[in-house]
Amino acid sequence: MDLLLLNFILKNDFRQLASKFPSYYKTLVSKVGGILPQESLKRIQTDFEKGQPKEAADEIQRALQSAENATLNVAVIGQSGSGKSSFINVLRGIGHEQIGSAPVGVVPTTTKKTPYPHPKCPNMTFWDLPGTGTPTSLPNPYQEVVGDDNYDFFIIISSSRFSANDAFLAQKIQEKGKKFYFVRTKVDSDLYNEKKSKPRSFKKETVLHQIRDNCLVNLSKIVSEPTVFLVSNFEPKKFDFPKLQETLLQDLPAEKRYISLLLCPNLSESFIEMKRAMIKEKLWLKAFREAILAFFPMTPFCCGFNLSEQKQQLKRYQSNFGLDEESVSQIAQNLGISEQEIYSLMKSTDFISFLKDDDTIGIVNKCIEFIFSNIGFLPSYVSLSIIIYFLHLKFIDTVAEDAKRVLAKIEEMKPDRKK
Ligand SMILES: Nc1nc2c(ncn2[C@@H]2O[C@H](COP(=O)(O)OP(=O)(O)O)[C@@H](O)[C@H]2O)c(=O)[nH]1
Ligand SMILES: [Mg+2]
């Protein structure tokens, strides 16, 4: 079991905990940052210093609750036809033809500001804002759109040369003191067109560099140190989509990061690793809080081992990694293969194997022996917590590896690979 938790159970030394907690916590967080906001970290440390562990446990609980209940409103704005709806569908992990997708089309399809909640979490909503520059667009869409203060940030979508409309939007959002990200879509078709028109001199990197430069030069007149993300909504695993996701997550306030990360589609192995780290961090924080509370005899501490509850929890992890029944069915449909073929790649479908897993049993036994030999006794709820902690770690690792295998299968079956 990890050292800080064990130390806590064995020594119960709050001063030591206060000095070790922040640096230890850093080792747990994913590369886009952790769940605890800076203020919570400070408060927890001060609570330990003052010998008030119960307050520290409460602070952890508060932070975990706000992480789970966080809301996020993202405004996606840009000219009609630039790919806003398609972009929203990618971010929500929804196929363009799937039920609930934002309608995509060659003629303007969205005339009203439309909310698209994430299918797994209504608290996270993407707003498809009326395309500008069409006959039906609002007389003053910028006011209507930019004037709304509820958005956490804006994403400006542009699909061709940097336009006066792009500049105007960036300027208005900037004046509002809001953050925006500039996304240049359809780079797949730019590359295709360039290759067609200049087959001999075509160089992918040069074309991408030119597109980026054109946007940067213009944006730098509006903001200092602008960033541009070049994406294809048809090939989101390529180009800057994964980097965009990472940047958004990094920039978010800590309490909004957990839900946002879990709801992002798995675009890369590195993304699956970030999810794994953050889910483990949350598990650790819960276990740490329980370890603190276990030393307060009056604290109601119920954590019986209930098989069906554990099965449910495993399903929740599968959902976090995009491997719930609905997602598997969708993946199978997209790839034109049977669901069974996807399930055959997943080891987490065999719940019983987790209960018999020798590694988990071994590590739990070692932990329990270690505690027993150090303090001479072991309350039953502590041993139960230890079992559940390691079982969940195994769940998370197994599901994360499943997600990687499924991702590899999706890559392998991509149409351009099959040729
Ligand atoms: N090649 C290519 N086409 C795209 C991309 N994104 C969107 N499109 C197409 O562009 C058209 C307009 O897209 P849509 O998402 O409806 O744009 P919106 O009007 O801004 O919401 C549709 O035909 C999409 O299929 C992209 O990244 N690459
Ligand atoms: Mg649209």
Side-chain angles (χ1 to χ4, degrees):
M1 194 164 198
D2 72 58
L3 279 175
L4 202 68
L5 262 174
L6 267 187
N7 252 337
F8 187 83
I9 292 171
L10 298 180
K11 297 195 185 127
N12 211 346
D13 180 342
F14 301 128
R15 289 212 175 280
Q16 203 191 23
L17 269 177
S19 66
K20 283 189 176 167
F21 188 80
S23 56
Y24 185 83
Y25 176 72
K26 266 195 201 145
T27 66
L28 295 172
V29 305
S30 78
K31 78 174 184 197
V32 288
I35 297 173
L36 293 182
Q38 208 52 40
E39 316 81 73
S40 287
L41 263 175
K42 279 212 184 93
R43 240 172 265 146
I44 292 166
Q45 197 181 4
T46 317
D47 288 334
F48 282 135
E49 272 163 11
K50 289 187 185 160
Q52 299 173 332
K54 176 85 169 52
E55 279 70 6
D58 290 345
E59 182 61 34
I60 293 175
Q61 177 69 351
R62 260 195 303 276
L64 288 177
Q65 261 167 4
S66 22
E68 280 187 4
N69 301 326
T71 57
L72 191 74
N73 282 285
V74 180
V76 181
I77 188 168
Q79 275 190 306
S80 176
S82 57
K84 295 181 297 296
S85 305
S86 311
F87 177 81
I88 287 175
N89 290 338
V90 174
L91 275 189
R92 293 191 308 155
I94 289 191
H96 303 311
E97 293 170 309
Q98 220 173 303
I99 298 168
S101 62
V104 166
V106 283
V107 290
T109 48
T110 320
T111 53
K112 280 202 314 247
K113 172 167 135 183
T114 315
Y116 288 100
H118 194 282
K120 287 183 186 167
C121 175
N123 281 358
M124 185 176 184
T125 301
F126 295 93
W127 294 83
D128 191 341
L129 301 176
T132 55
T134 66
T136 48
S137 63
L138 299 167
N140 191 352
Y142 314 109
Q143 190 43 44
E144 154 128 344
V145 163
V146 179
D148 194 324
D149 276 329
N150 290 329
Y151 304 120
D152 288 279
F153 57 84
F154 286 81
I155 294 181
I156 301 177
I157 303 275
S158 171
S159 65
S160 53
R161 283 181 203 145
F162 194 90
S163 67
N165 186 62
D166 297 331
F168 193 65
L169 284 177
Q171 185 72 48
K172 289 287 161 193
I173 297 168
Q174 168 89 345
E175 280 167 16
K176 270 265 154 196
K178 285 277 175 179
K179 192 159 180 72
F180 72 82
Y181 299 86
F182 194 87
V183 173
R184 170 59 160 78
T185 54
K186 305 193 188 181
V187 294
D188 57 313
S189 68
D190 287 300
L191 289 173
Y192 177 85
N193 292 341
E194 285 289 311
K195 198 172 180 180
K196 275 261 166 202
S197 62
K198 301 169 199 157
R200 276 186 291 133
S201 59
F202 171 80
K203 264 202 182 124
K204 182 180 158 190
E205 287 317 317
T206 311
V207 178
L208 292 176
H209 186 75
Q210 281 168 347
I211 300 175
R212 199 184 295 279
D213 242 29
N214 169 254
C215 299
L216 284 176
V217 165
N218 286 289
L219 275 175
S220 59
K221 294 174 192 154
I222 303 163
V223 284
S224 56
E225 298 182 29
T227 320
V228 171
F229 298 91
L230 308 185
V231 309
S232 161
N233 292 320
F234 294 164
E235 298 172 275
K237 292 187 177 73
K238 277 193 185 167
F239 310 109
D240 293 340
F241 224 119
K243 193 171 121 213
L244 170 65
Q245 274 191 322
E246 262 187 57
T247 309
L248 296 179
L249 289 162
Q250 235 154 19
D251 291 354
L252 278 177
E255 65 273 16
K256 301 206 178 212
R257 212 174 268 143
Y258 173 71
I259 284 290
S260 310
L261 174 59
L262 291 198
L263 295 174
C264 283
N266 297 337
L267 293 185
S268 62
E269 282 210 2
S270 131
F271 215 74
I272 294 173
E273 285 307 331
M274 287 190 269
K275 281 193 183 180
R276 186 197 316 236
M278 198 168 278
I279 296 171
K280 280 189 175 176
E281 178 199 336
K282 180 157 174 275
L283 176 67
W284 187 89
L285 284 170
K286 274 179 77 178
F288 188 59
R289 179 180 166 271
E290 282 173 9
I292 299 171
L293 293 182
F295 285 90
F296 293 88
M298 295 312 289
T299 315
F301 189 79
C302 55
C303 140
F305 192 84
N306 175 328
L307 267 190
S308 72
E309 165 54 29
Q310 298 311 318
K311 264 191 194 164
Q312 283 307 320
Q313 187 53 53
L314 176 59
K315 280 191 191 298
R316 278 193 280 270
Y317 289 133
Q318 286 172 332
S319 173
N320 291 160
F321 282 95
L323 295 177
D324 48 289
E325 284 170 20
E326 207 182 320
S327 305
V328 168
S329 158
Q330 195 60 50
I331 295 169
Q333 205 177 317
N334 293 346
L335 297 181
I337 58 177
S338 69
E339 289 176 20
Q340 204 38 52
E341 235 178 293
I342 304 286
Y343 283 124
S344 68
L345 300 167
M346 291 171 54
K347 297 194 173 153
S348 63
T349 46
D350 184 2
F351 178 71
I352 298 299
S353 70
F354 286 104
L355 304 180
K356 295 187 200 152
D357 179 63
D358 286 341
D359 290 345
T360 310
I361 296 171
I363 200 161
V364 166
N365 282 341
K366 259 198 203 139
C367 234
I368 290 177
E369 274 167 28
F370 185 72
I371 297 174
F372 201 81
S373 64
N374 271 276
I375 57 174
F377 70 98
L378 184 73
S380 61
Y381 48 77
V382 172
S383 59
L384 207 49
S385 286
I386 291 170
I387 293 169
I388 290 174
Y389 179 75
F390 283 108
L391 184 64
H392 284 207
L393 276 185
K394 186 78 189 173
F395 283 169
I396 297 166
D397 282 332
T398 310
V399 179
E401 293 306 318
D402 285 352
K404 284 187 188 173
R405 275 189 294 276
V406 173
L407 184 70
K409 181 80 180 172
I410 296 171
E411 285 297 295
E412 176 199 316
M413 302 224 19
K414 266 171 45 178
D416 51 335
R417 285 274 185 93
K418 277 195 263 179
K419 277 180 214 155

